[in-house]
Amino acid sequence: MRITLKDGSVKEYAEAKSIYDIVMDISEGLARAACCARVDGQVADLRTVLDRDCELVVCTANDPEGLATIRHTASHVLAEAVKNLFPDAKLTIGPSIDTGFYYDFDHAPFSREDLDALEAEMKKIVKAGARLEKFTLPRQEAIRLMEEKGEPYKVELIRDLPEDAQISFYRQGGFVDLCAGPHLMNTKGVKAFKLTSSSMAYWRGDSDRARLQRIYGTAYSKKEELAEHLERMEDAKRRDHNRLGREMELFTTVDVIGQGLPLFTPKGTKMLLKLQRWIEDLEDKEWGYVRTRTPLMAKSDLYKMSGHWDHYKEGMFVLGDEETDKEVYALRPMTCPFQYFVYKNTQKSYRDLPYRMSETSTLFRNEDSGEMHGLTRVRQFTITEGHLVVRPDQMVEEFKGCIALAKHCLTTLGVEEDVTYHLSRWDPENREKYIGEPEVWNETEQHIRDILTELGIPFVEDVGEAAFYGPKVDINARNVYGKEDTMITIQWDALLAEQFDMYFVDQNGEKVRPYIIHRTSMGCYERTLAWLIEKYAGKFPTWLCPEQVRVLPISEKYESYAAQVLQELKARDIDAIADNRSEKIGFKIREARLAKVPYMLVVGQQEEEEGLVSVRSRFAGDEGQKPLSQFLDQICEEIRTKKIRREEAQEK
């Protein structure tokens, strides 16, 4: 057989060989560094025997696949440690993830002391250096093995596999786990690891199933890389919007109100209103939108007409029972069917299109309680939602315009470099999830593909992530912990106009079905605020800050002048307060810094006599004395242009 290597060279063998033996033949040093391999592009365990011509790429810890293999092996080391210290714990699953690994156990909650003890036990296992041996069993024998070991979750996983399947296991010393791999050759390859936290999880993500305990960890091939990661994690904790947003008194949650239903304080509300006024003015005055206002609920008839009742009912809050109530209502999870009837209110001709509708829409989604997190996943949220009804010949250009508007919003917020673009496609193997014919889906997906390519936007394609009525562009960003969330969505819809009998009259007097674009410009206000808190670590651009200036009189003698300065600031619509507490000026300055106020204006005798302010900023420290009028002009220009000063554009 001929084995083509990454550099194009070829190794020939007369008999089948394991990947590990082939790598040893190439270089003993490479074999020591190897974690797994890619065979014709597919990830493979080093123990895999090759018996045909193929392309072979060896993966080390410097490759994503190699690092994932280290972490996967670390999860097995963790599982062995848990069974050693907590023999009654039941094993479930333990994959590698982007930031490390986790393993779920049926057990009581783990404390930080438990995690420390497990780390010590893991070090013993790694030091022992047991080889990981792969073996397979027929399905019934595999079930018997896991039943004998008292692992009911593993038995369930095996029972879900085909009856003729050969079930893969890995053994390290006396520990055996159900697993497809790949894994390192022995545990000594797990050189640098840390258990970071534990939390509750549901078996198979189903809130009706068993509550499990998930232990998170991370692993690297070098201690220096682990130390860098842990420092990034500490920075993530400092930036975590769920903590920082509460510390800054932007929002809170209350158990008696409900999970996923945040309360916004005056400061947080002020930020949301600034975002809302900006977006509404932008869309209405510069991008040609008309504004609508529609109900927060509707009868089930509307959702049946749109298809949401059949495709999305489980995610809705339904009010009433179809079997017993004359009318059943539901809180709206989206605005599109409401806005369709706004469009239908008057007959439209081809000259009236595109007809761009936008609404600051409050929506409701019945998210699983285990999915709730701060402001990023909530049950009530407000979104910059819009629907464009267009002629088919306008669709491509209007879709480009929606992308341009989204990019403008991202640029203004200073987050344009933090996003990735995804073409979310339908899954032809899951036809019941979607409406429409394959030809329509293939055509519309190709249109979006061509648009993104023409605009020079790099993108990835995600099969199965489309809405039930059409493909879409999802603009995603990662939070400080690496989890990816969709921030902005732009959807191509060539189907729903038919269901709502929407039409326009063309130049020949004929009724023609329009196309529809479902889109957000900035996305969800709650999720965007969470993103901005983490992006800027609470040090927001001046235009967004709930408090933009704090006036600091150096003593009570200058409170009158401070009041004059404050009055001038408020007259220019600048959000400002005066700190008239009988504290030393150094203390007041430190307090303002901790509150992340962009500008502090210190006023005393000279400032009062000469109409000056001593400016201290978050960006440059002491900026010296300036005439009040000069400072007012400068900050007003900064707010008007939504300027992001360099010091504000911090990395995550």
Side-chain angles (χ1 to χ4, degrees), residues 456-472:
I457 298 174
F459 65 96
V460 297
E461 300 192 12
D462 299 329
V463 174
E465 294 300 317
F468 69 85
Y469 49 79
K472 55 181 176 170

Side-chain angles (χ1 to χ4, degrees), residues 110-120 195-198 215:
F110 294 97
S111 66
R112 182 65 246 183
E113 290 74 18
D114 292 334
L115 299 188
D116 293 340
L118 287 168
E119 274 189 23
L195 299 183
T196 54
S197 64
S198 63
I215 297 179

Side-chain angles (χ1 to χ4, degrees), residues 327-373:
E327 290 184 340
V328 174
Y329 285 77
L331 299 178
R332 64 180 185 185
M334 75 300 295
T335 310
C336 47
F338 298 85
Q339 287 194 328
Y340 297 163
F341 281 99
V342 173
Y343 173 84
K344 284 166 60 70
N345 185 53
T346 58
Q347 181 171 286
K348 306 292 190 300
S349 83
Y350 68 97
R351 294 188 182 91
D352 298 315
L353 304 187
Y355 191 73
R356 308 182 187 101
M357 296 173 285
S358 188
E359 183 167 330
T360 302
S361 305
T362 296
L363 306 178
F364 305 85
R365 305 240 173 124
N366 191 9
E367 300 282 4
D368 184 271
S369 59
E371 295 296 317
M372 299 295 104
H373 177 68

